[in-house]
Amino acid sequence: MPRESSLLTHLLLLLPPLTLSLLHPPQPAPAHVPMLVPHTPTPLTRSRFSAQAQLDFTTHCNSSCFHRGEQDEQLTDKLAFETLYADGSRTLTTVDVEGEEEFDAHLFARPSPRRGPRGKPRHKRVRRQIYGADGRFNIQGDNFLLDYPFSTAVRISTGCTGVLVSQQHVLTAAHCVHDGKDYVKGARKLRVGFLIPPSINGTKADLTSAKKPLVRWVRVKRTRVPKGWIQGPQDVSMDFDYALLELRWPHRRPFMRLSVAPSSDDLAGKRIHFSGFDSDRPGELVYRFCPVEEESSDLIYQHCDARPGASGSGVYGRVWDNSLERWERKVIGIFSGHQWLEIDGENRDYNVAVRITPLKFAQICYWVHGNRLDCVQD
């Protein structure tokens, strides 16, 4: 795809397809969001910040982990979370799930069965994140970089991407700040970067097309990571590869609301979208979209083209909002990385996003609002 994408192409990315207004809205069962009851935080020793950021995150999975569901006794352990403060101190907060027996039937409900992972057997494992022709678009120009939804994408100083989910919070991938054992070196003074188009930062108008956007960096005052990421083996913890960053100051840009991820059949066009800062296109915001290939209870499998640096991007879809009676873009997952899926002796590779389940929605919502009563419905 040439870098000089046509203006018409960009406009089509911003405007809702006409067919959406003609589609009969889906009638999925409303998401049953549980309530998390946090306990008093326990102080921990200070982090050593000894880990190295791993932007090219790859895992392996077989049929047992693809069909795995969480066990009841693991719930409270995995939903506990660490909080890292700007001064390097840490706390651990354990939680209970209120009315756990009432929610069990809803918490582990799987997406609608699909016809099984697709693709031909691959005997040689060649890691890749671009599938066929590169289907990514560079987002350029003030009219697009500052327009929703592209304006919700931000840079993370460790080399990843994040998405604005409130006036002061950024959702990203956990592996961007923590390797499962310790926080990465760059998390000691973690920052979030907001793109500033050339025309706004003082560059002459006739030079803006050749200039790349500048970045305004804002310090992070608090980082939260689920214990499910910290304590689990790599193939398990990918299910919990998400973290929330709280900015020191509120921003003034539009943010994207969270939603419990519906089945892909209930997404407009059955597509997902995300924008990130891929490492092979430095300084550029890159957008892509693609259909969902497969779904497990915790992951979304797809072939959206992506490169390292896109990790942590907010994966969104057009979800039907009953209260507004229209299709709305909502964050339904976090782009994690690449996974080899071995089913019936065949190896298939996918790019993978962590799906926002009812439990994860309740946890992230509590992190954002600090009040569990604000998080009892999607």
Side-chain angles (χ1 to χ4, degrees):
M1 176 63 63
R3 302 190 69 166
E4 296 80 15
S5 299
S6 69
L7 178 61
L8 178 60
T9 299
H10 283 311
L11 288 174
L12 290 174
L13 297 180
L14 282 171
L15 295 175
L18 293 177
T19 54
L20 290 183
S21 61
L22 303 178
L23 290 176
H24 183 71
Q27 298 296 329
H32 200 123
V33 178
M35 184 178 294
L36 263 60
V37 183
H39 299 161
T40 302
T42 302
L44 300 174
T45 59
R46 289 177 175 267
S47 172
R48 294 175 298 156
F49 299 100
S50 61
Q52 296 295 321
Q54 182 183 4
L55 302 184
D56 195 0
F57 185 51
T58 301
T59 60
H60 298 81
C61 176
N62 55 28
S63 58
S64 62
C65 75
F66 180 76
H67 297 293
R68 178 186 57 234
E70 294 293 346
Q71 301 300 314
D72 293 355
E73 61 271 16
Q74 297 176 330
L75 272 177
T76 54
D77 290 341
K78 292 182 180 297
L79 291 171
F81 57 89
E82 275 194 16
T83 302
L84 173 69
Y85 298 89
D87 63 0
S89 61
R90 300 185 294 153
T91 60
L92 172 65
T93 304
T94 57
V95 301
D96 287 327
V97 178
E98 190 168 279
E100 185 172 336
E101 66 284 349
E102 176 185 349
F103 294 121
D104 282 350
H106 302 275
L107 299 184
F108 309 114
R110 295 189 171 276
S112 302
R114 302 170 73 86
R115 57 178 176 269
R118 291 174 288 195
K120 298 180 180 180
R122 293 188 179 93
H123 301 290
K124 184 179 180 182
R125 293 189 171 189
V126 180
R127 187 187 316 178
R128 61 178 188 169
Q129 291 177 304
I130 303 296
Y131 298 88
D134 194 338
R136 297 173 296 167
F137 301 86
N138 281 15
I139 303 303
Q140 298 174 325
D142 301 1
N143 294 336
F144 304 110
L145 286 174
L146 294 181
D147 276 354
Y148 185 87
F150 307 123
S151 59
T152 65
V154 291
R155 290 179 58 180
I156 309 299
S157 57
T158 55
C160 290
T161 302
V163 60
L164 301 172
V165 293
S166 85
Q167 291 183 335
Q168 206 165 344
H169 295 88
V170 175
L171 190 63
T172 188
H175 75 261
C176 297
V177 297
H178 196 291
D179 73 347
K181 297 179 180 179
D182 193 13
Y183 290 92
V184 302
K185 183 178 179 181
R188 186 188 298 270
K189 294 183 179 180
L190 195 60
R191 298 176 299 163
V192 169
F194 293 78
L195 288 188
I196 303 176
S199 64
I200 293 180
N201 63 48
T203 305
K204 293 182 179 180
D206 58 344
L207 298 177
T208 56
S209 60
K211 291 280 187 178
K212 293 182 179 179
L214 295 182
V215 181
R216 177 175 63 87
W217 294 99
V218 178
R219 286 290 300 273
V220 171
K221 74 173 185 179
R222 186 159 54 187
T223 301
R224 281 173 163 159
V225 181
K227 198 70 163 58
W229 167 260
I230 296 173
Q231 69 180 10
Q234 191 179 53
D235 64 334
V236 174
S237 61
M238 195 177 203
D239 298 348
F240 290 86
D241 187 14
Y242 57 92
L244 190 78
L245 316 181
E246 182 176 348
L247 302 176
R248 180 169 290 183
W249 307 106
H251 63 83
R252 296 182 179 180
R253 298 196 178 183
F255 58 86
M256 194 176 298
R257 293 172 57 200
L258 294 170
S259 172
V260 173
S263 165
S264 62
D265 293 335
D266 295 325
L267 294 173
K270 300 182 181 181
R271 293 174 178 171
I272 57 170
H273 314 246
F274 60 97
S275 300
F277 297 92
D278 300 51
S279 58
D280 64 334
R281 300 189 184 183
E284 301 284 359
L285 179 62
V286 184
Y287 163 81
R288 78 237 59 204
F289 66 92
C290 67
V292 175
E293 300 284 342
E294 300 298 333
E295 302 172 85
S296 71
S297 57
D298 283 287
L299 299 176
I300 300 171
Y301 292 83
Q302 31 79 22
H303 286 153
C304 280
D305 293 325
R307 295 295 298 158
S311 293
S313 299
V315 174
Y316 63 91
R318 289 183 180 272
V319 179
W320 182 257
D321 190 309
N322 285 323
S323 61
L324 298 176
E325 296 188 345
R326 68 188 185 202
W327 296 92
E328 285 283 303
R329 296 182 183 93
K330 293 185 181 180
V331 177
I332 61 171
I334 305 94
F335 180 63
S336 178
H338 184 260
Q339 185 173 94
W340 284 99
L341 189 60
E342 184 176 343
I343 303 291
D344 298 328
E346 297 180 1
N347 293 320
R348 304 175 180 102
D349 58 330
Y350 294 93
N351 283 335
V352 178
V354 179
R355 67 184 300 131
I356 298 179
T357 63
L359 275 172
K360 293 170 186 174
F361 177 89
Q363 183 187 54
I364 297 169
C365 184
Y366 172 77
W367 290 347
V368 171
H369 295 284
N371 181 350
R372 59 195 179 97
L373 297 179
D374 291 334
C375 302
V376 294
Q377 62 181 0
D378 182 359

